[in-house]
């Protein structure tokens, strides 16, 4: 007798991924419920996972995540073609095929939970740094903006600028990365958070397309890479790189990654990193002040060095090309949904919450009201 054709079955590997995904679902529930457990997991387990992923991709001279993005249409085409082929075979074959797709989704979810998710639910950064995060008054916004403007004005004369007014990054991206590693070393010298390890940022080859999406940088948890848009004006690149490196080190919340980026630039011995940190933080504080009191905002603006004003005008002219488009609105909506799903009630506005941390940090340095 001829043996009957064996029915295709879902592999053991897929079943293992299903089981791990179930365990990760339980872990995620514990992160949400127990901040202390999320802190421990982020520091002890997730940090190891992030380092492994970073080391696996660090040797590549390009962003592996960007490569996956570029080949995603090909991948989707292959999936559709396989669905058509498998559909003509048997129900069992179709079940196995979709079982493999589900296993792939499970793998991504596992990496997210194990390597990044606990950062959203651990102790907030203000408590870790001993800052008093309280409602911010207009006067505090004004005084903080003044203090930052003084720091920026002191640094501005040191840098060359284009005819547009944009300052020029005085070194290569690789050299900037070394300076950021040194700055992270300095900042984390006497701190247990965030965990620090050597890595390097990856410039995005299709940065111009990312500009249309208003994406200055992105940390891809499934490849462990800190990716930066190098199409934006130079003064924002070090701050953005420090922000994505903060994500790579377990700082998940956007306002906290912004503030760690500032603190790292603030601790640097390099003048341009300091300039990038101060000016980017100033912009957040200045925007809040503009909404609270236009006259006070105008007073601070008039005190800025003309070179800094030219920098800001050059950025506004650059951004105007990308301000309103379908890609940007779609990108922001997707990011907003994602951030809400991770407990960020402010959604994409959570980036702006760095203002509270900035005022809390500088509060003891402000003149008495």
């Amino acid at each position: 007798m001829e043996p009957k054709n064996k029915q295709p079955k879902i592999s053991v590997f897929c079943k293992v991924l299903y089981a791990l995904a179930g365990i990760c679902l339980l872990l995620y529930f514990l992160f949400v419920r127990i901040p202390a457990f999320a802190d421990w997991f982020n520091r002890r387990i997730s940090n190891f996972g992030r380092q492994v992923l970073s080391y696996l991709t660090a040797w590549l001279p390009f962003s592996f995540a960007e490569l996956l993005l570029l080949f995603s249409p090909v991948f989707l085409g292959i999936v559709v073609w396989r669905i058509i082929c498998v559909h003509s075979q048997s129900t069992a074959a179709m079940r196995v095929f979709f079982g493999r797709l589900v296993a792939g989704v499970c793998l991504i979810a596992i990496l997210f939970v194990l390597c990044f998710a606990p950062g959203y639910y651990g102790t907030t950064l203000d408590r870790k740094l001993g800052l008093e995060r309280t409602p911010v008054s207009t006067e505090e916004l004004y005084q903080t903006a003044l203090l930052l403007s003084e720091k920026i004005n002191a640094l501005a004369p040191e840098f060359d600028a284009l005819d547009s007014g944009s300052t020029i990054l005085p070194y290569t991206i690789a050299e900037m990365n070394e300076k950021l590693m040194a700055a992270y070393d300095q900042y984390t010298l006497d701190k247990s958070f965030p965990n620090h390890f050597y890595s390097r940022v990856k410039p995005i080859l299709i940065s111009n397309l990312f500009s249309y999406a208003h994406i200055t940088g992105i940390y891809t948890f499934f490849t462990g890479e800190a990716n930066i848009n190098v199409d934006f004006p130079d003064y924002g690149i070090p701050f953005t790189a420090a922000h994505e490196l903060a994500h790579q080190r377990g700082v998940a919340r956007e306002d906290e990654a912004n503030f760690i980026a500032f603190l790292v630039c603030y601790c640097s011995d390099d003048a341009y990193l300091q300039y990038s940190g101060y000016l980017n933080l100033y912009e957040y504080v200045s925007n809040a002040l503009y909404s609270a009191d236009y006259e006070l905002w105008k007073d601070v603006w008039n005190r800025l060095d003309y070179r800094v004003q030219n920098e800001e005008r050059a950025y506004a002219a650059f951004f105007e090309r990308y301000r309103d488009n379908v890609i940007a609105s779609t990108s922001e909506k997707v990011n907003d949904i994602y951030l809400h799903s991770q407990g960020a009630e402010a959604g994409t506005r959570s980036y702006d919450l760095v203002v509270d941390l900035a005022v809390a940090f500088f509060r003891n340095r402000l003149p008495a009201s």
Side-chain angles (χ1 to χ4, degrees):
M1 293 178 60
E2 294 184 2
K4 294 181 179 179
N5 293 330
K6 291 185 178 180
Q7 291 293 325
K9 296 181 179 180
I10 295 175
S11 68
V12 173
F13 179 69
C14 289
K15 292 178 181 178
V16 169
L17 289 178
Y18 301 155
L20 288 175
I23 293 171
C24 285
L25 184 63
L26 174 61
L27 286 173
Y28 191 87
F29 175 80
L30 293 175
F31 297 157
V32 175
R33 296 287 181 174
I34 311 172
F37 176 68
D39 284 335
W40 176 86
F41 199 98
N42 194 23
R43 186 172 61 254
R44 300 297 183 187
I45 308 299
S46 297
N47 183 59
F48 175 76
R50 289 189 297 269
Q51 287 190 52
V52 170
L53 288 172
S54 175
Y55 292 153
L56 287 174
T57 56
W59 63 274
L60 293 171
F62 55 86
S63 169
F64 184 58
E66 183 179 12
L67 184 67
L68 293 177
L69 174 65
L70 291 173
F71 277 91
S72 59
V74 176
F75 174 74
L76 290 175
I78 292 173
V79 169
V80 171
W81 175 73
R82 286 294 299 158
I83 290 173
I84 294 172
C85 291
V86 172
H87 186 268
S88 63
Q89 297 175 13
S90 66
T91 303
M94 180 68 81
R95 183 174 65 252
V96 170
F97 176 73
F98 278 104
R100 290 170 181 167
L101 287 181
V102 172
V105 173
C106 286
L107 177 60
I108 295 174
I110 289 165
L111 290 173
F112 174 72
V113 172
L114 294 183
C115 298
F116 198 53
Y120 284 108
Y121 300 102
T123 306
T124 56
L125 186 61
D126 54 316
R127 293 180 60 187
K128 289 177 179 175
L129 298 180
L131 299 176
E132 186 181 0
R133 192 169 186 172
T134 58
V136 175
S137 68
T138 301
E139 179 62 21
E140 285 179 318
L141 285 174
Y142 173 64
Q143 294 295 341
T144 303
L146 275 181
L147 188 151
L148 290 170
S149 68
E150 292 170 3
K151 300 290 187 181
I152 300 164
N153 287 343
L155 292 165
E158 297 188 33
F159 315 116
D160 295 328
L162 301 170
D163 291 340
S164 65
S166 292
T167 53
I168 302 170
L169 187 70
Y171 29 67
T172 66
I173 296 297
E175 290 169 334
M176 179 196 73
N177 190 82
E178 295 304 313
K179 292 177 183 294
L180 281 171
M181 289 299 103
Y184 263 99
D185 283 337
Q186 181 65 28
Y187 176 70
T188 57
L189 192 62
D190 59 348
K191 298 177 180 65
S192 60
F193 180 85
N195 300 98
H196 179 48
F197 53 90
Y198 183 86
S199 63
R200 64 192 184 97
V201 293
K202 301 286 190 74
I204 298 171
L205 297 178
I206 53 171
S207 287
N208 180 255
L209 294 180
F210 275 72
S211 295
Y212 280 101
H214 298 177
I215 297 174
T216 57
I218 184 169
Y219 171 64
T220 46
F221 64 86
F222 51 89
T223 65
E225 293 170 301
N227 308 279
I228 56 170
N229 181 341
V230 292
D231 182 49
F232 268 66
D234 284 5
Y235 81 91
I237 292 176
F239 181 83
T240 297
H243 175 106
E244 302 310 329
L245 288 169
H247 283 324
Q248 193 181 51
R249 282 147 185 75
V251 185
R253 299 181 182 102
E254 296 299 342
D255 57 328
E256 295 182 358
N258 269 342
F259 196 60
I260 289 293
F262 164 72
L263 291 176
V264 167
C265 292
Y266 172 82
C267 287
S268 174
D269 295 329
D270 182 77
Y272 200 75
L273 260 62
Q274 292 176 16
Y275 176 76
S276 178
Y278 279 122
L279 185 50
N280 278 272
L281 188 65
Y282 165 81
E283 289 175 344
Y284 282 106
V285 175
S286 176
N287 288 341
L289 180 61
Y290 183 93
S291 298
D293 191 314
Y294 173 76
E295 292 303 320
L296 290 179
W297 171 86
K298 188 175 180 180
D299 178 69
V300 179
W301 170 261
N302 288 334
R303 295 170 187 251
L304 285 176
D305 185 287
Y306 74 93
R307 284 162 285 219
V308 183
Q309 291 182 344
N310 288 341
E311 179 91 85
E312 294 289 88
R313 292 189 183 103
Y315 175 81
F318 164 84
F319 190 72
E320 192 60 37
R321 288 178 284 171
Y322 306 101
R323 184 178 299 279
D324 299 315
N325 63 82
V326 175
I327 297 175
S329 57
T330 303
S331 172
E332 182 170 2
K333 184 63 177 177
V334 170
N335 194 26
D336 189 62
I337 292 172
Y338 164 73
L339 291 174
H340 273 103
S341 73
Q342 299 309 313
E345 295 181 3
T348 52
R349 291 185 293 109
S350 61
Y351 293 85
D352 300 334
L353 296 180
V354 69
V355 171
D356 298 347
L357 291 168
V359 172
F361 179 75
F362 285 110
R363 186 170 280 128
N364 292 335
R365 298 166 176 81
L366 299 177
S369 43

